[in-house]
Amino acid sequence: MNSNIPHGEMSQKWEDYKGHVKLVNPANKRKLEVIVVGTGLAGASAAAALGELGYKVKAFCFQDSARRAHSIAAQGGINAAKNYQNDGDSVFRLFYDTVKGGDYRAREANVHRLAEVSNAIIDQCVAQGVPFAREYGGLLSNRSFGGTQVQRTFYAAGQTGQQLLLGAYSAIERQVALGNVTMFRRHEMLDVVLIDGVAKGIIAKDLITGQLERHGAHAVLLCTGGYGNVFYLSTNAMGSNVTAAWKAHKKGAFFGNPCFTQIHPTCIPVSGDHQSKLTLMSESLRNDGRIWVPKKQGDNRKGSEIPEEERDYYLERRYPAFGNLVPRDVASRAAKERCDAGFGVGTTKMAVFLDFADAIKRYGKIEVGKKALTNVSEAEIIVIGKEVVKEKYGNLFEMYEKITGENPYEMPMRIYPAVHYTMGGLWVDYELQTTVKGLYALGEANFSDHGANRLGASALMQGLADGYFVIPYTLGNYLADEIRSGAVDTNQQAFVDAEKIVADRLNKLMNIKGTQTVESFHKRLGKIMWDKCGMARNEKGLQEAIVEIQALKKEFWSNVRVPGEINEMNPELDKAGRVADFMELGELMCKDALNRNESCGGHFREESQTDEGEAKRDDDNFAYVAAWENKGESDWQLHKEDLSFEIVKPTQRSYK
C-alpha cells in the first residue's frame, strides 16, 4: 500500500510531479480506452477532460441523463483560494483549514494539491459560463462557510451544484458530439473485470432491458459518489448507492475509513415514518442565520413569540471565535446535545431554530444607507431587507416553505442534523489509483481529501479538481505503459466469468420469493446504523449493531421478495442489489468505528471526549488511514497508512 507521494517541499510536490510525469502522445491516446463510471461532477469533468485530450472514453450513468447526477443537489458553493475579499486567504490557508477541519486525519500532500488547483477550477467554470454570483461592480462574489474565518466560497444562489454540473455536462456533451466520448445512459456497473490482477473493464446492466453487457478498457475510473444511503434517511438522492465501489472492494480495492460519515447540521427535520429521504438546507444559511433554542426546556411557543432575552444562541455562546460558522461536526453535535437536554423545538422536539430576523434588519439598514433614504420605519426596513435576503437565498427559502408550509421570512426555520456526505471511500494513492492496478476512484467515491470531517463547499472543489486537473496527469502516467497492449477483448474468460457471477446473483435475488420488500430491509438497516453508528457511537452499541446487521443480512437473503422479471426494466431488482451491498458495507462501517477507539471529526466515540463534550483524538494510536481488505464473508483485514504531518501539526481543535 504505497501512497506514491512525491518527494520534496510540500508546495512543490505537484509541480514537480507534473514536470516529470510520463506522457502519452496524441496519436497513442486515440488507441487507448477509458471507462468512467458515474457522471456527476467528478465523472463528467474527468470524461470531458480525457475526451478533450483525445482518449476514447466510455461514460456510464444509471440516470437517463448526466444532468440528473446527485451533484445537482449541492446548494451552497465551491471553495477556492482566490482571496478576492483581501481578507487574508491563500493556498496555504485553504490547505490548513482543510487539514484542521478534517481533524488531522487526511493526507497532507493530497490536500495541498487540492488547495493549489482550486483557483483554476473557478477560471474553468467561469469560461464555461457558470453564472456565479457577482458583486455590483461585476467581480465574483464570495461568502463564508463553516470552519473558516475568510470568505472563499463561490456560489450561484442556492443551486451551485446544478450550475457547475451543467458546465461539466456541456463539456462532456461537446466531446460526445466530437466522437471522443460515448455515453451509456441507464446503465449500472455491477462488477469490475480483472485480468492478471489489473482492471480491464466492467460488467454493466442495461436498466431498460435488463441485459448484461461487457465493456473493456485500459483503465476504469469510479466516480460514483458516496454511501450515505446506508442510513436509509439521508440528504442523498434515492438512487445514490455504494455498489460500484463495493464491487471494486470485493475484487481487491481497499476501503478507506468507512466509519467517517458526515452529519450535516442544517437539514429539515424528520416529520414521520413515511419519509424516504431528508432535505438539505444549505450551510450558506449559517452566514446570516443565527442558530438558537429557548432557554426554557419544553418551550412550546412559536420562535417568533419568544423574546430575545429568553433565547440561547448556543453556538455563539460556546464558540465565540467562529460562532454559527463552526464546522459541521461541531455544529451537529451541539444541536444534538441541546435537543437531548430537552431544549429542542417543534412537535418532535428534535430541532433547533435558524433565524434570519437580525440579518433581514441589518440588510435593510444597509440598503437604506446606500439609497440615502430618510424617515424609514422599522417595518419598511424589514421589507427592504427581505428583498436582499431573497436575492441571496430565495430558492432555499422557497424550498423550505414548500416542504414545511411555514414562511421563513416571518418565523425562524426549524433544522436538525442529517446524514449527508461520506469522507470514507476507496483507498487511493496520490495518483488516485486504488490498490487494484488500473482502477481509479475520484470525488466522493475515494477517501482522499477530507479526513474525518469535510468542510462545507469542499465536495464540489474535490470532484472538479480530481476530474479536470488531477486525473489527466496521473492517468497518463499509467497509460503510457499500456500503448502496446492493444484493444481489450471482452471474450476473454475473465469477462465470461465476471458476467456469470453477476447473472447468478441476480437470479438468486429473484428466486428467493420471500415475504418482505426490499424497502423494509433498507429501513431496518438504516435504523440500526443511525441508532448505533450515527452521530454518537459507543463500544456496546457497535458490537450490537454488527450482530444485528449479520442477522438482518441472513434474513434478507432468505426472505426478500423481488417482483417482476430479470430481462426487463426492474427497479426493485436494481434496488435489491444495492441494499444487499449496503448491508455488507454497514457491517464494515461498524467494525471500523469499533476499531477506531477515539473521537475525531464526524466519528464521535462517547468513550473519548473532553470534559466539555468535544471530540478527543488519540494521535498516538490512531493517526492513520484505516484501509480494509476484504478476505471473505464478514471478514476483513486492517491495513494502516500512517499519517505524517510536515506542515500542520496536530493540536486539539478549538473554534472558541
Side-chain angles (χ1 to χ4, degrees):
M1 199 172 65
N2 182 1
S3 58
N4 287 318
I5 299 171
H7 298 292
E9 293 288 325
M10 187 66 67
S11 60
Q12 296 300 313
K13 288 181 188 293
W14 181 232
E15 280 302 314
D16 286 350
Y17 175 91
K18 289 191 294 181
H20 296 89
V21 74
K22 295 177 187 174
L23 299 177
V24 182
N25 83 47
N28 285 331
K29 284 173 184 167
R30 291 192 289 271
K31 303 172 187 174
L32 295 169
E33 292 185 295
V34 179
I35 284 174
V36 178
V37 184
T39 54
L41 285 181
S45 59
L50 295 172
E52 184 83 38
L53 287 172
Y55 294 106
K56 293 168 64 178
V57 180
K58 292 189 275 192
F60 294 79
C61 68
F62 63 68
Q63 299 93 347
D64 59 354
S65 168
R67 289 175 298 173
R68 293 190 188 276
H70 184 58
S71 300
I72 205 169
Q75 296 170 349
I78 176 170
N79 288 332
K82 287 285 196 183
N83 195 30
Y84 283 168
Q85 305 296 323
N86 199 27
D87 56 1
D89 201 10
S90 63
V91 166
F92 178 84
R93 182 77 64 181
L94 175 52
F95 158 68
Y96 175 89
D97 286 344
T98 305
V99 174
K100 177 185 174 185
D103 221 352
Y104 307 96
R105 291 294 176 261
R107 189 191 290 151
E108 275 191 333
N110 286 61
V111 179
H112 199 282
R113 177 177 63 189
L114 176 66
E116 287 178 61
V117 304
S118 66
N119 292 336
I121 297 170
I122 304 302
D123 298 338
Q124 170 91 358
C125 294
V126 169
Q128 288 174 341
V130 173
F132 286 121
R134 293 179 181 268
E135 303 292 356
Y136 180 76
L139 297 177
L140 296 181
S141 184
N142 291 115
R143 57 189 177 198
S144 297
F145 260 59
T148 70
Q149 290 178 305
V150 297
Q151 295 185 69
R152 64 163 66 103
T153 304
F154 295 78
Y155 62 98
Q159 51 180 251
T160 313
Q162 179 177 1
Q163 298 303 329
L164 291 172
L165 187 62
L166 288 173
Y169 174 75
S170 65
I172 195 175
E173 285 300 310
R174 177 173 180 269
Q175 295 307 315
V176 169
L178 292 172
N180 297 327
V181 174
T182 305
M183 284 291 300
F184 292 86
R185 302 173 184 84
R186 286 291 194 183
H187 279 67
E188 181 173 22
M189 173 192 143
L190 293 182
D191 209 352
V192 61
V193 180
L194 306 186
I195 298 177
D196 297 328
V198 180
K200 288 293 182 180
I202 64 171
I203 304 298
K205 182 185 179 189
D206 183 327
L207 299 180
I208 301 295
T209 66
Q211 297 297 314
L212 297 180
E213 300 175 1
R214 305 173 195 170
H215 294 275
H218 297 91
V220 177
L221 277 54
L222 301 184
C223 313
T224 50
Y227 48 88
N229 275 351
V230 69
F231 291 92
Y232 185 70
L233 283 179
S234 82
T235 66
N236 288 265
M238 292 294 290
S240 297
N241 63 82
V242 75
T243 289
W246 196 250
K247 299 308 183 191
H249 174 57
K250 298 288 283 282
K251 282 290 181 74
F254 293 3
F255 211 101
N257 296 333
C259 78
F260 285 170
T261 55
Q262 180 168 77
I263 313 295
H264 197 294
T266 52
C267 299
I268 296 178
V270 176
S271 60
D273 292 337
H274 62 283
Q275 275 184 269
S276 56
K277 79 177 298 293
L278 297 173
T279 303
L280 171 70
M281 296 305 295
S282 170
E283 184 179 316
S284 63
L285 296 173
R286 290 201 276 148
N287 267 278
D288 291 312
R290 299 179 71 192
I291 295 172
W292 61 277
V293 292
K295 288 183 178 178
K296 185 173 70 175
Q297 290 179 323
D299 195 327
N300 292 319
R301 290 176 290 175
K302 293 180 179 178
S304 55
E305 296 173 354
I306 300 174
E308 186 72 16
E309 62 273 12
E310 295 181 35
R311 301 179 177 190
D312 176 18
Y313 295 94
Y314 59 90
L315 290 178
E316 297 171 32
R317 169 173 55 82
R318 289 179 59 177
Y319 309 102
F322 281 72
N324 294 297
L325 286 172
V326 292
R328 291 176 176 178
D329 58 326
V330 177
S332 295
R333 281 196 298 274
K336 181 179 187 295
E337 184 275 327
R338 286 291 80 192
C339 292
D340 290 348
F343 295 94
V345 301
T347 54
T348 64
K349 298 300 179 187
M350 296 302 285
V352 299
F353 287 128
L354 176 61
D355 196 340
F356 265 76
D358 285 353
I360 288 171
K361 289 179 185 175
R362 185 176 75 253
Y363 282 126
K365 289 176 181 176
I366 291 171
E367 288 299 302
V368 166
K370 282 161 62 176
K371 296 174 181 177
L373 303 177
T374 57
N375 298 322
V376 182
S377 68
E378 183 165 301
E380 291 173 308
I381 288 173
I382 289 173
V383 170
I384 295 169
K386 284 179 182 176
E387 287 303 310
V388 178
V389 169
K390 186 176 182 180
E391 187 178 338
K392 289 171 73 82
Y393 307 106
N395 64 311
L396 299 173
F397 278 54
E398 195 176 295
M399 185 170 67
Y400 181 88
E401 186 168 7
K402 279 185 178 179
I403 292 171
T404 66
E406 297 176 359
N407 183 350
Y409 294 103
E410 304 295 335
M411 55 198 305
M413 296 182 187
R414 285 173 291 109
I415 58 165
Y416 193 71
V419 173
H420 179 55
Y421 187 90
T422 54
M423 285 76 66
L426 292 177
W427 183 92
V428 293
D429 63 11
Y430 188 76
E431 298 186 327
L432 305 184
Q433 188 168 212
T434 68
T435 47
V436 173
K437 193 176 179 183
L439 180 66
Y440 293 75
L442 284 65
E444 194 179 354
N446 72 34
F447 87 100
S448 178
D449 294 357
H450 308 297
N453 174 61
R454 178 177 68 81
L455 293 182
S458 288
L460 307 185
M461 176 174 61
Q462 187 210 346
L464 292 180
D466 286 356
Y468 280 138
F469 299 109
V470 177
I471 202 67
Y473 286 93
T474 63
L475 184 63
N477 194 43
Y478 169 74
L479 291 177
D481 296 327
E482 292 289 310
I483 57 176
R484 295 179 184 84
S485 61
V488 177
D489 180 8
T490 58
N491 292 315
Q492 294 179 79
Q493 193 62 41
F495 280 90
V496 176
D497 294 344
E499 183 179 339
K500 184 177 186 304
I501 290 170
V502 171
D504 289 348
R505 189 173 192 255
L506 293 174
N507 279 302
K508 185 177 180 181
L509 283 167
M510 290 298 305
N511 292 329
I512 294 170
K513 301 192 185 305
T515 62
Q516 298 294 311
T517 64
V518 175
E519 192 81 354
S520 67
F521 281 104
H522 196 180
K523 274 189 176 182
R524 288 162 64 189
L525 172 66
K527 181 164 176 52
I528 295 169
M529 294 299 297
W530 178 250
D531 289 346
K532 296 177 178 178
C533 194
M535 260 199 283
R537 298 125 185 227
N538 59 58
E539 183 178 4
K540 180 174 179 289
L542 290 166
Q543 289 172 337
E544 291 172 352
I546 291 170
V547 173
E548 290 171 20
I549 292 169
Q550 288 174 344
L552 186 66
K553 182 169 64 173
K554 188 175 180 182
E555 184 184 346
F556 174 90
W557 283 102
S558 63
N559 199 31
V560 73
R561 182 172 185 82
V562 180
E565 302 295 333
I566 284 185
N567 294 322
E568 64 181 18
M569 186 174 180
N570 191 341
E572 203 68 12
L573 176 58
D574 305 332
K575 189 161 62 175
R578 296 165 190 168
V579 172
D581 293 332
F582 274 140
M583 288 188 184
E584 295 180 11
L585 167 70
E587 185 180 348
L588 178 59
M589 287 171 65
C590 293
K591 192 179 184 79
D592 186 39
L594 182 63
N595 177 77
R596 189 170 284 277
N597 193 17
E598 66 161 351
S599 291
C600 58
H603 168 66
F604 189 73
R605 281 289 295 267
E606 292 173 350
E607 304 93 333
S608 184
Q609 53 184 304
T610 66
D611 294 338
E612 297 175 320
E614 305 292 346
K616 186 178 180 181
R617 289 195 328 273
D618 180 357
D619 292 331
D620 291 337
N621 295 303
F622 293 99
Y624 62 76
V625 175
W628 295 89
E629 179 184 6
N630 183 261
K631 306 294 280 187
E633 183 77 17
S634 295
D635 185 16
W636 288 274
Q637 180 181 345
L638 173 63
H639 301 267
K640 300 177 182 179
E641 179 198 346
D642 291 328
L643 293 169
S644 59
F645 295 92
E646 302 173 29
I647 311 295
V648 185
K649 301 302 180 185
T651 58
Q652 177 67 35
R653 275 198 308 166
S654 175
Y655 296 94
K656 297 182 177 181

